[in-house]
Amino acid sequence: MPPAATDEFPIAVGKPEPRPKRRTKQEQRDESIARILNAAQELFITKGFNATRTEEIGARAGLTKGAVYFYFGEKTAVLLALLERVQTKVLEPLAQRLERRHGTPFDRVREFLLQQARLARDDPGMLLLPIMVSIEFAGVDDEPGKRVRWGYRRTAELLAAVIEQGQSDGVFRRDLKPTQQASLILALNDGAMLEWWRSEPRSTGRDLVDSLYTVLMSGIRSSPEA
């Protein structure tokens, strides 16, 4: 006979807990790819692309070396997939902000810097990866280096176009060429990210972002006397 209910051991009433839904093959595939990409991004940033072995990527992702080869074929394909993700989630949204027609040139540059700050806070790897790749692949005529250089060049061109418009409107200083100011913005932004990365402890990120924003926006803005 089943045990009777008591105050100490009440008998549960109700439907049994449903079994967890079994994941589809596509969901398993997507999860494995995401784990590989996240593991590779961390390793490429901390160790460098050339120093990272494929089996390390698999181990960090909780998978096998064969799984990495199965989904990507080679290590370079993993890096290219990461750079594609950076382009989709970082470069394209930033380009849209710079290319939009509403808002003053000052507002568009300001929003560009604020978006970079949000990325540095929420997903710093997205900004650190292209910086590290640009250093490691400098002067190398390989596809990863070409993609990163293209991304920097496009961003610099868009920034320069906004600054040039701001100079015509009297918003930005005119004693420096737009291309020079755009290059300076990118250089200082990358430098702030690298300083945050190597600082111990990494609690100075917000201070660096605030300082970068203050220096840049006051430095490129036209003075009342001008």
Side-chain angles (χ1 to χ4, degrees), residues 70-185:
F70 175 77
Y71 290 114
F72 291 96
E74 59 178 353
K75 187 175 67 170
T76 301
V78 181
L79 178 57
L80 292 177
L82 284 170
L83 294 177
E84 184 72 24
R85 188 167 72 173
V86 170
Q87 179 177 339
T88 301
K89 295 186 176 182
V90 180
L91 291 181
E92 292 179 1
L94 289 175
Q96 291 173 2
R97 284 176 168 80
L98 291 173
E99 288 177 319
R100 67 184 184 181
R101 297 302 177 186
H102 62 279
T104 67
F106 184 86
D107 290 337
R108 287 151 68 186
V109 173
R110 177 178 179 275
E111 181 58 30
F112 170 82
L113 294 174
L114 292 177
Q115 176 64 10
Q116 293 287 85
R118 285 190 286 267
L119 284 168
R121 177 196 63 199
D122 299 334
D123 197 351
M126 285 285 185
L127 296 180
L128 285 167
L129 180 69
I131 295 174
M132 300 304 190
V133 172
S134 70
I135 296 172
E136 188 168 1
F137 284 81
V140 180
D141 194 30
D142 285 351
E143 187 62 25
K146 290 179 180 178
R147 290 199 186 186
V148 169
R149 286 190 290 272
W150 175 86
Y152 274 102
R153 184 167 59 250
R154 184 184 181 213
T155 305
E157 290 172 352
L158 291 172
L159 272 172
V162 176
I163 292 171
E164 184 175 11
Q165 180 184 344
Q167 287 178 331
S168 298
D169 297 343
V171 177
F172 295 140
R173 58 191 300 167
R174 300 179 183 178
D175 56 331
L176 296 175
K177 295 179 180 179
T179 53
Q180 292 175 318
Q181 295 190 52
S183 296
L184 180 62
I185 290 173

Side-chain angles (χ1 to χ4, degrees), residues 194-207:
L194 289 173
E195 176 60 24
W196 171 82
W197 177 249
R198 66 179 175 230
S199 63
E200 291 293 344
R202 291 188 190 143
S203 58
T204 59
R206 181 58 186 268
D207 293 336

